[in-house]
Amino acid sequence: MLNTSKYTTKSVAAVAVALGVLAAAAGSVSAQQFPNRPVRLIVPFAPGGPTDTIARVVAQQLTERLGQQIVVDNRAGAGGNIGMGLAARATGDGHTLLLVSSSFVVNPSLYKDLPFDPHKDLLPVSNLAASPNVFTVHPSSSVKSVGELVAYAKANPGKANAATPGIGTTPDLSVRLLGLTAKIDMIAVPYGGAGPAVAAVVGNQLSIGCTALPPTTPHIQAGRLRALAVTSAKRSQALPDVPTMAEAGYKNQEAETLQGMLVPAGTPKAIVDRLNKELVSIMRVPAVEKRVTDLGFYIIANSPAEFRAQIKTEIEKWGQVIKSAGVKVN
């Protein structure tokens, strides 16, 4: 029989400390060796959209900086939940990255069965960039401001129908938020993406729209749409003559489409910090900054802690809007 009397409390504690040191050392070695194979960058949307475009710009730069190929993996479906759930189940060793849009902060309140916990399963690295939404009308409309839009909605109950990219997108929720704030009967009409929503207003199928800035700006600049206001805290560089919602008289309407990088839980802090350092540097490369701003975004490139705080705030904010507006998905 093994004599355990010689194993004192002090010796057991010493062994525990030693094991902790070894574990920390192993993590350090792992971080130093990162990456030792190609890195997968999951985009939870179809190719061609703004998130996919930014992912490919970033992937090219990260490939050069990390010395391993960054492979963009598009996993669309369920409002981004399929791709986000896939990333949440991946091994946390830095070889799986996830680039999300605002569905990451909206879906927790929109879907009953979410395949990931936004607070526990994924670690924030950085919110790379953001773009506001923009309220628009067809040029033939007599509405020329948000105030006139609200007046029209009050005078014509049930007729202020606004095209949006889909249920639960930030443009869709912006329409509902304005309705709640202004106490008007404003109805969000979801389409299957920003392209169809913009086309519906350009074609005057609906005279009002709310969509993200990137796919809408060319139509505004060409005179095919009239912009009423943007949902950012400051005016957009892409549309400097268009007022913010606050300037138009409606405060607390800020809503932006974020472009945030995350990694699976368990990824060593040293790897998260390195990725953040590289991404912040990448977003300041003039060619990258121009490409991203040309899409209608502005650069943020914040820290993991700042991005974590933003995620918490936005999940709470949109959760309240979704509950108050009674938004549901099938």
Side-chain angles (χ1 to χ4, degrees):
M1 179 179 295
L2 178 65
N3 181 5
T4 59
S5 61
K6 63 180 179 179
Y7 295 101
T8 65
T9 301
K10 185 179 294 186
S11 64
V12 170
V15 170
V17 170
L19 289 174
V21 170
L22 288 173
S28 176
V29 170
S30 175
Q32 290 173 4
Q33 293 175 344
F34 167 80
N36 55 25
R37 62 182 185 276
V39 176
R40 176 174 60 164
L41 172 52
I42 296 175
V43 176
F45 306 105
T51 303
D52 177 72
T53 301
I54 290 176
R56 294 179 188 279
V57 171
V58 169
Q60 180 181 359
Q61 291 282 330
L62 267 181
T63 294
E64 297 173 2
R65 291 165 181 258
L66 298 182
Q68 288 284 354
Q69 185 69 37
I70 311 298
V71 181
V72 176
D73 184 6
N74 296 92
R75 297 297 184 103
N81 287 341
I82 290 177
M84 291 186 285
L86 182 65
R89 296 189 297 273
T91 302
D93 60 4
H95 290 87
T96 297
L97 311 178
L98 172 68
L99 188 62
V100 301
S101 75
S102 291
S103 58
F104 183 74
V105 294
V106 169
N107 288 6
S109 301
L110 197 62
Y111 291 84
K112 291 183 179 179
D113 299 315
L114 206 63
F116 64 94
D117 184 319
H119 301 295
K120 297 179 180 179
D121 295 339
L122 293 157
L123 300 177
V125 178
S126 180
N127 182 13
L128 305 181
S131 173
N133 303 317
V134 57
F135 279 89
T136 59
V137 292
H138 189 269
S140 65
S141 172
S142 61
V143 172
K144 292 182 171 60
S145 68
V146 177
E148 291 182 4
L149 175 60
V150 170
Y152 171 81
K154 289 182 176 179
N156 299 274
K159 292 186 178 181
N161 301 325
T164 75
I167 295 176
T169 58
T170 58
D172 184 78
L173 294 177
S174 292
V175 170
R176 300 172 192 270
L177 179 58
L178 178 59
L180 291 169
T181 302
K183 296 180 173 56
I184 55 175
D185 183 17
M186 193 167 185
I187 301 170
V189 181
Y191 281 75
V198 171
V201 186
V202 170
N204 208 19
Q205 298 168 20
L206 291 179
S207 62
I208 307 165
C210 186
T211 45
L213 208 61
T216 315
T217 299
H219 298 281
I220 295 171
Q221 293 172 336
R224 293 186 290 270
L225 292 174
R226 178 187 300 139
L228 303 181
V230 292
T231 62
S232 50
K234 297 180 180 180
R235 293 196 182 198
S236 168
Q237 292 182 1
L239 298 171
D241 296 329
V242 179
T244 66
M245 291 292 287
E247 289 174 332
Y250 295 87
K251 296 181 179 180
N252 302 318
Q253 302 295 299
E254 286 75 23
E256 297 180 323
T257 298
L258 62 83
Q259 299 294 309
M261 190 74 78
L262 302 105
V263 291
T267 302
K269 183 179 183 300
I271 291 178
V272 173
D273 289 344
R274 182 182 178 191
L275 286 170
N276 177 266
K277 179 181 178 181
E278 298 292 357
L279 289 168
V280 169
S281 178
I282 286 171
M283 299 309 290
R284 298 304 178 189
V285 172
V288 173
E289 189 167 4
K290 183 179 186 306
R291 181 74 176 103
V292 172
T293 53
D294 283 350
L295 287 171
F297 291 84
Y298 67 91
I299 304 298
I300 296 180
N302 58 10
S303 70
E306 290 169 331
F307 189 24
R308 182 179 296 106
Q310 179 186 1
I311 289 170
K312 182 177 183 297
T313 298
E314 295 213 11
I315 286 177
E316 292 174 354
K317 171 185 175 178
W318 293 122
Q320 292 174 356
V321 173
I322 289 167
K323 182 178 180 180
S324 298
V327 183
K328 297 179 180 179
V329 294
N330 296 329

